Amino acid sequence: MRAQTQFLIRGTQLIAVLTFGAGFAKQQIKTSHITNSDLAVRNDPVKDFVEIPHSEYSSSLTHRPSPPRRSATFSSIKSTTTIRSFLVKRGLANKSNKQSWHDDVSPQDAHEDTPLDGVSAHADPESEGLAFESRVRRDVSDPLEDFDDQVSEISTKQSAWQHQEDGGKDETDNLNDDLMVPHAFLIHQIPWQLHQESIALFLELSGSLNCSEQLHDHEDDLRGDLARLLLWGESFDGGKLDDILAGSAELRDVVLELCATVSEILIEGKFEELITTQRFTF
Amino acid sequence: MGKTNHPAAERIEHLLGIIQQAEEEGKGNGSEATKIQTSFRRESHRSMADAAEILHSSVDCLMRLLPTMEISLAFH
């Protein structure tokens, strides 16, 4: 009887020890394999996708494989399309979101995935999608709106400039402006007239370079200058010179001064030549 | 200046008229340097060598203005 009692007591102690040991071992398994990566995965918005296999918990204290990581989980997901379909299945994403992002895209293109889908697949895809939609629409439409604004602004400025050019007068006043055209024409044509008259005088002078001994000494230089002066004038034929000089008063003064200098030099040279040949008296 | 029927003389008179018109306009809105240079030019008696040198320099300056003027023309 005593022996039976001691056997029962030892058996109960053994069972208690085994039970405690098993519980302690299970607790050790649960705590020792929760690493920082596990915590990162569990705090991730897509933690619902990560399912740790139960077989890992059922193993003993032997070496266990590394815990599942996001890369391992997503390695089975081929593309962001799968992520989106997965989210739709879980009810975490709305199908209409994607359609609304591609309202202006053809149906074929709408089924194609963009990297932006994956970005919006994270926390709260619906609100993120709406925000993204407004952002995309703003980015796309802003340049066109800016261009229209710029065009209208330029048109406004041009109209104001034209009005300013007209002196703010109406059409009836413009009839009186026609009387001012000859005077304005003469003033604005001065550099071009100087150039043309200088060229004509230069050509006439070049024909008699051999007649004058003084001019003959500078024949080569004068012919070279005549050629360059002709070349300079060819660039601004047809009123182009007046258009250029109308835009800059300083440039106009410089060109006018240079053309006047050339004209006066040529006149002096012509005087010299005419006095030499005694065909001109003053 | 005496009157003559020579075409060169008429051309010179016409050119002198244009220069006088340019100087009058230059007096209105021209710089002080332009006025001084004009008066200096009136009083000077240049030799042919000096005249050829001034002519050469003036054409040089006009040619150097070409790029600036072509850029200005491109904006018109």
Short mmCIF file of all heavy atoms in Angstrom, two decimals, chain A residues 98-140:
data_model
loop_
_atom_site.label_atom_id
_atom_site.label_comp_id
_atom_site.label_asym_id
_atom_site.label_seq_id
_atom_site.Cartn_x
_atom_site.Cartn_y
_atom_site.Cartn_z
N LYS A 98 -9.23 52.71 -59.15
CA LYS A 98 -8.34 52.61 -60.30
C LYS A 98 -9.00 53.13 -61.57
O LYS A 98 -8.37 53.81 -62.37
CB LYS A 98 -7.92 51.16 -60.48
CG LYS A 98 -6.90 50.98 -61.58
CD LYS A 98 -6.52 49.56 -61.73
CE LYS A 98 -5.52 49.41 -62.86
NZ LYS A 98 -5.18 48.01 -63.07
N GLN A 99 -10.28 52.83 -61.69
CA GLN A 99 -10.97 53.31 -62.88
C GLN A 99 -11.03 54.83 -62.91
O GLN A 99 -10.90 55.44 -63.95
CB GLN A 99 -12.39 52.72 -62.88
CG GLN A 99 -13.15 52.97 -64.16
CD GLN A 99 -12.48 52.33 -65.34
OE1 GLN A 99 -11.84 51.29 -65.21
NE2 GLN A 99 -12.60 52.95 -66.51
N SER A 100 -11.22 55.41 -61.71
CA SER A 100 -11.32 56.86 -61.69
C SER A 100 -9.99 57.52 -62.00
O SER A 100 -9.94 58.64 -62.48
CB SER A 100 -11.80 57.33 -60.31
OG SER A 100 -10.84 56.98 -59.34
N TRP A 101 -8.88 56.83 -61.71
CA TRP A 101 -7.59 57.44 -62.03
C TRP A 101 -7.36 57.47 -63.53
O TRP A 101 -6.55 58.25 -64.02
CB TRP A 101 -6.46 56.64 -61.40
CG TRP A 101 -6.53 56.61 -59.91
CD1 TRP A 101 -7.29 57.39 -59.11
CD2 TRP A 101 -5.83 55.73 -59.06
NE1 TRP A 101 -7.10 57.06 -57.81
CE2 TRP A 101 -6.20 56.04 -57.75
CE3 TRP A 101 -4.92 54.68 -59.29
CZ2 TRP A 101 -5.70 55.35 -56.66
CZ3 TRP A 101 -4.42 54.02 -58.19
CH2 TRP A 101 -4.80 54.35 -56.88
N HIS A 102 -8.00 56.58 -64.25
CA HIS A 102 -7.73 56.46 -65.68
C HIS A 102 -8.98 56.77 -66.50
O HIS A 102 -9.33 56.09 -67.43
CB HIS A 102 -7.26 55.04 -66.02
CG HIS A 102 -6.03 54.66 -65.26
ND1 HIS A 102 -4.79 55.06 -65.64
CD2 HIS A 102 -5.87 53.93 -64.14
CE1 HIS A 102 -3.89 54.57 -64.79
NE2 HIS A 102 -4.52 53.89 -63.87
N ASP A 103 -9.68 57.82 -66.12
CA ASP A 103 -10.90 58.17 -66.85
C ASP A 103 -10.58 58.54 -68.30
O ASP A 103 -11.34 58.28 -69.20
CB ASP A 103 -11.59 59.36 -66.16
CG ASP A 103 -12.33 58.88 -64.93
OD1 ASP A 103 -12.54 57.65 -64.82
OD2 ASP A 103 -12.66 59.71 -64.09
N ASP A 104 -9.43 59.17 -68.48
CA ASP A 104 -9.08 59.65 -69.81
C ASP A 104 -8.28 58.62 -70.60
O ASP A 104 -7.84 58.91 -71.70
CB ASP A 104 -8.25 60.94 -69.69
CG ASP A 104 -9.05 62.03 -69.01
OD1 ASP A 104 -10.29 61.99 -69.14
OD2 ASP A 104 -8.44 62.88 -68.37
N VAL A 105 -8.09 57.44 -70.02
CA VAL A 105 -7.28 56.43 -70.67
C VAL A 105 -8.22 55.41 -71.31
O VAL A 105 -9.34 55.17 -70.85
CB VAL A 105 -6.35 55.75 -69.63
CG1 VAL A 105 -5.44 54.75 -70.33
CG2 VAL A 105 -5.54 56.79 -68.91
N SER A 106 -7.77 54.81 -72.39
CA SER A 106 -8.57 53.81 -73.05
C SER A 106 -8.74 52.58 -72.16
O SER A 106 -7.93 52.35 -71.26
CB SER A 106 -7.89 53.41 -74.36
OG SER A 106 -6.65 52.81 -74.08
N PRO A 107 -9.78 51.77 -72.39
CA PRO A 107 -10.00 50.60 -71.54
C PRO A 107 -8.82 49.65 -71.52
O PRO A 107 -8.53 49.04 -70.50
CB PRO A 107 -11.24 49.95 -72.18
CG PRO A 107 -11.92 51.06 -72.89
CD PRO A 107 -10.86 51.99 -73.34
N GLN A 108 -8.11 49.53 -72.65
CA GLN A 108 -6.96 48.64 -72.66
C GLN A 108 -5.87 49.15 -71.74
O GLN A 108 -5.26 48.41 -70.99
CB GLN A 108 -6.43 48.51 -74.08
CG GLN A 108 -7.41 47.75 -74.99
CD GLN A 108 -6.87 47.68 -76.39
OE1 GLN A 108 -5.88 48.33 -76.72
NE2 GLN A 108 -7.53 46.90 -77.22
N ASP A 109 -5.65 50.47 -71.82
CA ASP A 109 -4.62 51.03 -70.98
C ASP A 109 -5.03 51.02 -69.52
O ASP A 109 -4.19 50.99 -68.63
CB ASP A 109 -4.31 52.48 -71.41
CG ASP A 109 -3.75 52.51 -72.81
OD1 ASP A 109 -3.17 51.48 -73.22
OD2 ASP A 109 -3.89 53.54 -73.48
N ALA A 110 -6.33 51.05 -69.28
CA ALA A 110 -6.79 51.09 -67.90
C ALA A 110 -6.46 49.82 -67.17
O ALA A 110 -6.31 49.80 -65.95
CB ALA A 110 -8.30 51.33 -67.86
N HIS A 111 -6.34 48.69 -67.89
CA HIS A 111 -6.02 47.43 -67.24
C HIS A 111 -4.53 47.30 -66.98
O HIS A 111 -4.11 46.43 -66.24
CB HIS A 111 -6.50 46.27 -68.12
CG HIS A 111 -8.00 46.19 -68.15
ND1 HIS A 111 -8.74 45.86 -67.05
CD2 HIS A 111 -8.87 46.43 -69.16
CE1 HIS A 111 -10.04 45.88 -67.38
NE2 HIS A 111 -10.13 46.23 -68.64
N GLU A 112 -3.75 48.14 -67.64
CA GLU A 112 -2.32 48.08 -67.39
C GLU A 112 -2.01 48.73 -66.06
O GLU A 112 -2.64 49.67 -65.64
CB GLU A 112 -1.57 48.80 -68.52
CG GLU A 112 -1.73 48.09 -69.86
CD GLU A 112 -0.98 48.84 -70.94
OE1 GLU A 112 -0.37 49.86 -70.61
OE2 GLU A 112 -1.03 48.38 -72.09
N ASP A 113 -1.00 48.17 -65.42
CA ASP A 113 -0.67 48.65 -64.09
C ASP A 113 0.42 49.69 -64.18
O ASP A 113 1.27 49.68 -65.04
CB ASP A 113 -0.18 47.49 -63.23
CG ASP A 113 -1.27 46.45 -63.07
OD1 ASP A 113 -2.34 46.83 -62.60
OD2 ASP A 113 -1.02 45.29 -63.43
N THR A 114 0.38 50.57 -63.23
CA THR A 114 1.42 51.57 -63.12
C THR A 114 2.05 51.42 -61.75
O THR A 114 1.42 50.93 -60.82
CB THR A 114 0.82 52.97 -63.25
OG1 THR A 114 -0.12 53.15 -62.20
CG2 THR A 114 0.15 53.14 -64.59
N PRO A 115 3.30 51.86 -61.61
CA PRO A 115 3.94 51.78 -60.30
C PRO A 115 3.19 52.55 -59.23
O PRO A 115 3.31 52.27 -58.06
CB PRO A 115 5.32 52.40 -60.55
CG PRO A 115 5.54 52.24 -62.01
CD PRO A 115 4.20 52.31 -62.63
N LEU A 116 2.39 53.51 -59.66
CA LEU A 116 1.66 54.31 -58.69
C LEU A 116 0.59 53.48 -58.00
O LEU A 116 0.19 53.80 -56.88
CB LEU A 116 1.04 55.52 -59.37
CG LEU A 116 2.04 56.49 -59.98
CD1 LEU A 116 1.32 57.54 -60.81
CD2 LEU A 116 2.86 57.15 -58.89
N ASP A 117 0.11 52.42 -58.65
CA ASP A 117 -0.88 51.58 -58.00
C ASP A 117 -0.29 50.95 -56.75
O ASP A 117 -0.94 50.86 -55.72
CB ASP A 117 -1.33 50.48 -58.97
CG ASP A 117 -2.12 51.08 -60.11
OD1 ASP A 117 -2.63 52.20 -59.93
OD2 ASP A 117 -2.20 50.45 -61.16
N GLY A 118 0.93 50.51 -56.84
CA GLY A 118 1.56 49.89 -55.71
C GLY A 118 1.76 50.86 -54.57
O GLY A 118 1.64 50.50 -53.40
N VAL A 119 2.04 52.11 -54.93
CA VAL A 119 2.23 53.12 -53.89
C VAL A 119 0.94 53.33 -53.13
O VAL A 119 0.92 53.38 -51.91
CB VAL A 119 2.69 54.45 -54.54
CG1 VAL A 119 2.72 55.55 -53.50
CG2 VAL A 119 4.06 54.26 -55.16
N SER A 120 -0.15 53.42 -53.84
CA SER A 120 -1.41 53.68 -53.18
C SER A 120 -1.98 52.43 -52.54
O SER A 120 -3.01 52.50 -51.88
CB SER A 120 -2.42 54.23 -54.19
OG SER A 120 -2.63 53.27 -55.20
N ALA A 121 -1.34 51.27 -52.71
CA ALA A 121 -1.86 50.05 -52.13
C ALA A 121 -1.60 49.98 -50.64
O ALA A 121 -2.12 49.12 -49.97
CB ALA A 121 -1.21 48.83 -52.81
N HIS A 122 -0.81 50.90 -50.12
CA HIS A 122 -0.54 50.91 -48.70
C HIS A 122 -1.71 51.54 -47.97
O HIS A 122 -2.80 51.61 -48.51
CB HIS A 122 0.78 51.64 -48.42
CG HIS A 122 1.96 50.85 -48.93
ND1 HIS A 122 2.40 49.71 -48.33
CD2 HIS A 122 2.74 51.04 -50.01
CE1 HIS A 122 3.43 49.22 -49.00
NE2 HIS A 122 3.65 50.02 -50.04
N ALA A 123 -1.48 52.03 -46.80
CA ALA A 123 -2.56 52.36 -45.88
C ALA A 123 -3.65 53.18 -46.55
O ALA A 123 -3.38 54.16 -47.23
CB ALA A 123 -1.97 53.17 -44.72
N ASP A 124 -4.89 52.77 -46.30
CA ASP A 124 -6.11 53.45 -46.75
C ASP A 124 -6.06 53.78 -48.24
O ASP A 124 -5.92 54.93 -48.64
CB ASP A 124 -6.32 54.73 -45.95
CG ASP A 124 -7.76 55.21 -46.05
OD1 ASP A 124 -8.56 54.48 -46.69
OD2 ASP A 124 -8.07 56.26 -45.49
N PRO A 125 -6.16 52.79 -49.08
CA PRO A 125 -6.03 53.02 -50.52
C PRO A 125 -7.12 53.94 -51.09
O PRO A 125 -6.89 54.68 -52.03
CB PRO A 125 -6.14 51.63 -51.12
CG PRO A 125 -5.91 50.69 -50.00
CD PRO A 125 -6.37 51.38 -48.78
N GLU A 126 -8.30 53.89 -50.48
CA GLU A 126 -9.40 54.68 -51.05
C GLU A 126 -9.14 56.17 -50.93
O GLU A 126 -9.18 56.92 -51.91
CB GLU A 126 -10.70 54.33 -50.34
CG GLU A 126 -11.92 54.98 -50.99
CD GLU A 126 -13.20 54.46 -50.41
OE1 GLU A 126 -13.13 53.58 -49.53
OE2 GLU A 126 -14.25 54.92 -50.83
N SER A 127 -8.81 56.58 -49.70
CA SER A 127 -8.54 58.00 -49.52
C SER A 127 -7.27 58.40 -50.25
O SER A 127 -7.18 59.48 -50.83
CB SER A 127 -8.41 58.33 -48.03
OG SER A 127 -7.34 57.59 -47.47
N GLU A 128 -6.29 57.50 -50.22
CA GLU A 128 -5.04 57.80 -50.93
C GLU A 128 -5.27 57.92 -52.43
O GLU A 128 -4.70 58.76 -53.10
CB GLU A 128 -4.03 56.70 -50.63
CG GLU A 128 -2.68 56.93 -51.26
CD GLU A 128 -1.95 58.10 -50.66
OE1 GLU A 128 -2.29 58.47 -49.52
OE2 GLU A 128 -1.07 58.64 -51.32
N GLY A 129 -6.15 57.06 -52.93
CA GLY A 129 -6.46 57.10 -54.36
C GLY A 129 -7.14 58.39 -54.75
O GLY A 129 -6.82 58.99 -55.77
N LEU A 130 -8.08 58.84 -53.93
CA LEU A 130 -8.77 60.09 -54.24
C LEU A 130 -7.79 61.26 -54.21
O LEU A 130 -7.83 62.15 -55.06
CB LEU A 130 -9.91 60.30 -53.25
CG LEU A 130 -11.07 59.31 -53.37
CD1 LEU A 130 -12.06 59.52 -52.24
CD2 LEU A 130 -11.75 59.46 -54.72
N ALA A 131 -6.92 61.23 -53.19
CA ALA A 131 -5.94 62.31 -53.10
C ALA A 131 -5.00 62.27 -54.30
O ALA A 131 -4.66 63.30 -54.87
CB ALA A 131 -5.13 62.18 -51.80
N PHE A 132 -4.63 61.05 -54.68
CA PHE A 132 -3.73 60.91 -55.82
C PHE A 132 -4.42 61.37 -57.10
O PHE A 132 -3.82 62.03 -57.94
CB PHE A 132 -3.31 59.45 -55.94
CG PHE A 132 -2.44 59.19 -57.13
CD1 PHE A 132 -1.12 59.57 -57.12
CD2 PHE A 132 -2.96 58.57 -58.25
CE1 PHE A 132 -0.32 59.33 -58.20
CE2 PHE A 132 -2.16 58.33 -59.34
CZ PHE A 132 -0.84 58.70 -59.31
N GLU A 133 -5.73 61.04 -57.19
CA GLU A 133 -6.47 61.45 -58.39
C GLU A 133 -6.48 62.96 -58.52
O GLU A 133 -6.22 63.51 -59.58
CB GLU A 133 -7.90 60.93 -58.29
CG GLU A 133 -8.76 61.32 -59.48
CD GLU A 133 -10.19 60.92 -59.26
OE1 GLU A 133 -10.49 60.42 -58.18
OE2 GLU A 133 -10.98 61.12 -60.18
N SER A 134 -6.76 63.64 -57.42
CA SER A 134 -6.79 65.10 -57.50
C SER A 134 -5.41 65.65 -57.80
O SER A 134 -5.25 66.63 -58.51
CB SER A 134 -7.31 65.67 -56.18
OG SER A 134 -6.43 65.33 -55.13
N ARG A 135 -4.38 64.96 -57.24
CA ARG A 135 -3.02 65.43 -57.48
C ARG A 135 -2.64 65.28 -58.95
O ARG A 135 -2.04 66.16 -59.55
CB ARG A 135 -2.06 64.64 -56.59
CG ARG A 135 -0.68 65.26 -56.49
CD ARG A 135 0.09 64.69 -55.31
NE ARG A 135 0.30 63.28 -55.38
CZ ARG A 135 -0.20 62.40 -54.51
NH1 ARG A 135 -0.95 62.85 -53.52
NH2 ARG A 135 0.04 61.12 -54.63
N VAL A 136 -3.01 64.09 -59.51
CA VAL A 136 -2.70 63.85 -60.91
C VAL A 136 -3.43 64.82 -61.80
O VAL A 136 -2.87 65.40 -62.73
CB VAL A 136 -3.05 62.40 -61.28
CG1 VAL A 136 -3.03 62.22 -62.78
CG2 VAL A 136 -2.06 61.44 -60.64
N ARG A 137 -4.70 65.03 -61.51
CA ARG A 137 -5.48 65.95 -62.35
C ARG A 137 -4.92 67.36 -62.27
O ARG A 137 -4.88 68.08 -63.25
CB ARG A 137 -6.95 65.93 -61.91
CG ARG A 137 -7.65 64.65 -62.27
CD ARG A 137 -9.13 64.76 -62.01
NE ARG A 137 -9.79 63.51 -62.31
CZ ARG A 137 -10.11 63.13 -63.53
NH1 ARG A 137 -9.81 63.90 -64.55
NH2 ARG A 137 -10.72 61.98 -63.74
N ARG A 138 -4.47 67.75 -61.07
CA ARG A 138 -3.90 69.09 -60.94
C ARG A 138 -2.62 69.21 -61.74
O ARG A 138 -2.38 70.18 -62.42
CB ARG A 138 -3.64 69.39 -59.46
CG ARG A 138 -3.22 70.83 -59.21
CD ARG A 138 -3.08 71.13 -57.73
NE ARG A 138 -2.02 70.37 -57.13
CZ ARG A 138 -2.20 69.40 -56.25
NH1 ARG A 138 -3.42 69.06 -55.88
NH2 ARG A 138 -1.17 68.75 -55.73
N ASP A 139 -1.77 68.14 -61.65
CA ASP A 139 -0.49 68.19 -62.35
C ASP A 139 -0.69 68.22 -63.86
O ASP A 139 0.07 68.85 -64.59
CB ASP A 139 0.37 66.99 -61.97
CG ASP A 139 0.81 67.09 -60.52
OD1 ASP A 139 0.74 68.20 -59.97
OD2 ASP A 139 1.19 66.06 -59.95
N VAL A 140 -1.70 67.51 -64.34
CA VAL A 140 -1.91 67.43 -65.78
C VAL A 140 -2.55 68.69 -66.32
O VAL A 140 -2.19 69.20 -67.36
CB VAL A 140 -2.78 66.19 -66.12
CG1 VAL A 140 -3.22 66.24 -67.57
CG2 VAL A 140 -2.00 64.94 -65.83
#
